[in-house]
Amino acid sequence: TVELAYNITSVADTATGPQESGFTPATPITVNLPANIVSGNLLLVVINFSSTDAAETLDWPAGWSPLFSYQHATFFRLVGRFRRADGTEGATITLNSDATGRKGTAVAYRITGHHPTLDPEAGAAVSGNNASPNPPALNPAEWGTLGTLWIATGGLARPSTTAFFTANPAEYALSEFGNDAFVRMVGRNLKAASEDPGPF
């Protein structure tokens, strides 16, 4: 699980056009992007996929900056990247891998009302083997108590008979995705210098 934070100047339109893409074993991986992308939007993609090799490469198109990457010891990788849109983005991006048989889910956000220069920040990923993963606390370094969109995300190794992600952390209800497909993302708008979500 990971927590992400974005400084925003308005909470009226913070995450529009979310797009989820599930993919079956294939190389390369195609990720669907939200509609109506225009120059200046902040784009976020979080992808969770089966992976047993920390040395495996996952090549992103130019312009996507690393936000976080967590490799489970034996099962999966949870990765986030962001991009400041320039208006040339298409409907999808292609991620090339040097491995085959990848399966998982990607979630893409188009964020508006964000700070024009400050980048998003992410907390250190935490791992565990239980049905109630608990995202880490985060104290963004750049913007103090300005308005912030906080996002908590978690990934699974594979579909399971165990009930994961059966409830959101308290106060987190903005845009949830992928409950049964490897990844879940939830968010809230809050003016606070730090945030520590409760468990899923």
Side-chain angles (χ1 to χ4, degrees):
T1 55
V2 177
E3 183 173 14
L4 316 175
Y6 306 87
N7 170 235
I8 54 176
T9 57
S10 169
V11 299
D13 185 20
T14 55
T16 61
Q19 178 68 54
E20 182 181 356
S21 6
F23 48 90
T24 54
T27 301
I29 295 168
T30 298
V31 176
N32 298 321
L33 294 180
N36 303 316
I37 296 172
V38 297
S39 180
N41 289 165
L42 181 65
L43 304 179
L44 165 69
V45 168
V46 170
I47 181 173
N48 187 50
F49 62 101
S50 57
S51 175
T52 59
D53 182 4
E56 173 191 339
T57 62
L58 187 66
D59 295 328
W60 291 69
W64 289 87
S65 300
L67 186 54
F68 67 87
S69 179
Y70 169 73
Q71 173 68 53
H72 185 272
T74 54
F75 292 121
F76 69 95
R77 187 181 301 181
L78 184 67
V79 179
R81 291 212 176 194
F82 71 95
R83 171 182 173 89
R84 295 186 183 276
D86 60 13
T88 64
E89 292 75 16
T92 65
I93 58 173
T94 299
L95 310 182
N96 293 302
S97 173
D98 60 0
T100 60
R102 295 292 152 255
K103 184 177 182 180
T105 297
V107 177
Y109 276 90
R110 180 175 70 90
I111 298 170
T112 64
H114 55 89
H115 194 281
T117 59
L118 295 179
D119 290 337
E121 297 187 27
V126 295
S127 64
N129 185 17
N130 60 72
S132 299
N134 190 355
L138 179 59
N139 181 6
E142 296 293 334
W143 59 82
T145 57
L146 297 177
T148 300
L149 171 61
W150 306 89
I151 296 176
T153 184
L156 304 178
R158 60 172 66 90
S160 170
T161 56
T162 303
F164 284 86
F165 302 144
T166 55
N168 295 336
E171 307 299 330
Y172 279 72
L174 172 69
S175 302
E176 54 187 79
F177 310 97
N179 188 28
D180 299 313
F182 295 99
V183 66
R184 182 162 178 135
M185 296 179 68
V186 295
R188 70 178 301 195
N189 294 311
L190 179 67
K191 289 185 177 182
S194 63
E195 168 69 347
D196 186 2
F200 285 95

